[in-house]
Amino acid sequence: MKDPTTDNAGQTGDPGTARDALEALRAEIAKAVVGQDPAVTGLVVALLCRGHVLLEGVPGVAKTLLVRALASALELDTKRVQFTPDLMPSDVTGSLVYDSRSAEFSFQPGPVFTNLLLADEINRTPPKTQSSLLEAMEERQVTVDGTPRLLPDPFLVAATQNPVEYEGTYPLPEAQLDRFLLKLTIPLPSRQDEIDVLTRHAEGFNPRDLHAAGVRPVAGPADLEAARAAIAKTTISPEITAYVVDICRATRESPSLTLGVSPRGATALLATARAWAWLTGRDYVIPDDVKALALPTLRHRVQLRPEAEMEGVTADSVINAILAHVPVPR
């Protein structure tokens, strides 16, 4: 089927058409995943901002299915890596393999050479292997034997982790957490959503066969490029920029935190708010856009004091309190 956002010369399509195509993702992914619209939106925002996503939720809430459905609806190549304690960096990035016939080494690409990499249970592998993703996430390339190799575009890492099981896990270091544009929490479904899930399974739904579930490509790389070009033209007033800075600076002064949001985090919040503004049909950013993306963009970039954590304070509650106190520009 011809991509409606690309003309005969293969040029990037119309931004309005691209917005419609990305909005259609919700309905398409809903054929496989029930009641996770905020997570779907977060993944789309990350793709538009060329960022990466950390998905956190208990086992069985469709984290893996969500990523697979997104890849199918976007016509993107996807690969999955199950992170385990014995996983080596070369198992992710690839390695040089000796060919006895040619007496030369050739590079065998690892699973990171894809559009959408699902890093399942990323905190179950040691820091050495976790760090193998740092260059890929930041530089969009992999260096093996001194030779950099570019990754495809678009490229997104969607990593999952279990928030309730810590035995045999390795917490992600702050430097790597900061490389994730968003941290999305995947909650347990509501009662009605869970009824819908069981009804679908009773009617024969197979989560391993998305094609049979009716999930079809509704957007592609051309739509992402058109959207990114339009987002770059979305207006950000000096007052909005100052608002973002004030929010991030307030986290550095919070008595509940030992680590506040860095300037990189402030840049990330501005970018995600800009993408959200465009997705909602505006060519300018308003304070509500910043508020809407503040939690997923900032929650993993702050660190609670031990005494605050013992009192039941969470990163989300601290950020919400800051949003309530920082003056909103008029």
Side-chain angles (χ1 to χ4, degrees):
M1 183 177 69
K2 182 180 177 181
D3 189 332
T5 65
T6 307
D7 62 17
N8 293 332
Q11 294 177 340
T12 302
D14 174 66
T17 305
R19 185 188 288 114
D20 292 341
L22 293 174
E23 281 295 322
L25 281 175
R26 293 176 182 271
E28 204 63 23
I29 294 175
K31 295 177 181 178
V33 182
V34 177
Q36 297 292 356
D37 277 355
V40 173
T41 300
L43 285 166
V44 173
V45 166
L47 278 168
L48 294 177
C49 297
R50 290 186 169 89
H52 309 284
V53 176
L54 181 62
L55 299 167
E56 186 174 88
V58 298
V61 291
K63 298 187 296 294
T64 301
L65 179 62
L66 175 62
V67 176
R68 289 179 52 239
L70 175 71
S72 297
L74 271 174
E75 204 172 17
L76 296 178
D77 181 47
T78 181
K79 290 186 174 68
R80 174 182 177 181
V81 178
Q82 186 67 46
F83 279 71
T84 56
D86 60 346
L87 195 73
M88 299 296 291
S90 59
D91 295 329
V92 179
T93 62
S95 58
L96 294 175
V97 177
Y98 182 72
D99 186 344
S100 58
R101 289 175 296 182
S102 63
E104 294 180 347
F105 285 94
S106 61
F107 178 69
Q108 292 293 108
V112 74
F113 286 86
T114 186
N115 295 124
L116 207 164
L117 177 68
L118 174 58
D120 222 351
E121 295 188 291
I122 190 173
N123 58 335
R124 288 203 173 277
T125 198
K128 180 179 181 180
T129 305
Q130 290 176 5
S131 65
S132 67
L133 282 174
L134 281 175
E135 182 186 13
M137 293 170 69
E138 185 67 22
E139 306 296 336
R140 310 287 165 148
Q141 67 179 28
V142 168
T143 301
V144 177
D145 195 34
T147 302
R149 294 172 170 84
L150 294 178
L151 295 171
D153 184 39
F155 172 69
L156 179 142
V157 174
T160 71
Q161 66 177 15
N162 183 344
V164 296
E165 188 177 356
Y166 295 103
E167 186 175 351
T169 63
Y170 304 83
L172 295 178
E174 295 301 326
Q176 184 155 17
L177 282 173
D178 206 35
R179 296 309 196 279
F180 286 100
L181 181 72
L182 301 172
K183 179 181 178 182
L184 305 174
T185 56
I186 311 297
L188 288 166
S190 66
R191 181 176 182 274
Q192 186 56 53
D193 285 343
E194 196 163 0
I195 289 174
D196 291 345
V197 170
L198 268 63
T199 300
R200 290 188 182 191
H201 279 265
E203 293 173 350
F205 171 71
N206 182 0
R208 296 171 184 83
D209 189 355
L210 295 179
H211 185 78
V215 179
R216 299 289 186 271
V218 294
D223 296 299
L224 292 177
E225 282 305 312
R228 288 168 178 171
I231 289 169
K233 299 175 183 177
T234 302
T235 304
I236 303 173
S237 69
E239 291 79 13
I240 292 294
T241 302
Y243 182 51
V244 170
V245 169
D246 289 343
I247 291 171
C248 295
R249 291 182 67 85
T251 65
R252 302 168 204 164
E253 300 166 1
S254 171
S256 299
L257 302 176
T258 58
L259 179 68
V261 177
S262 68
R264 178 189 286 157
T267 303
L269 180 54
L270 197 64
T272 55
R274 200 179 198 182
W276 176 244
W278 180 83
L279 278 173
T280 53
R282 279 179 282 101
D283 60 357
Y284 57 92
V285 180
I286 62 175
D288 283 349
D289 299 326
V290 177
K291 290 181 177 180
L293 273 297
L295 284 180
T297 308
L298 303 182
R299 59 164 58 109
H300 56 297
R301 304 176 193 270
V302 299
Q303 194 172 75
L304 289 167
R305 292 187 182 278
E307 56 270 26
E309 202 166 1
M310 291 177 64
E311 293 173 0
V313 176
T314 65
D316 284 13
S317 65
V318 173
I319 294 169
N320 278 326
I322 288 172
L323 291 174
H325 286 89
V326 172
V328 179
R330 299 294 180 185

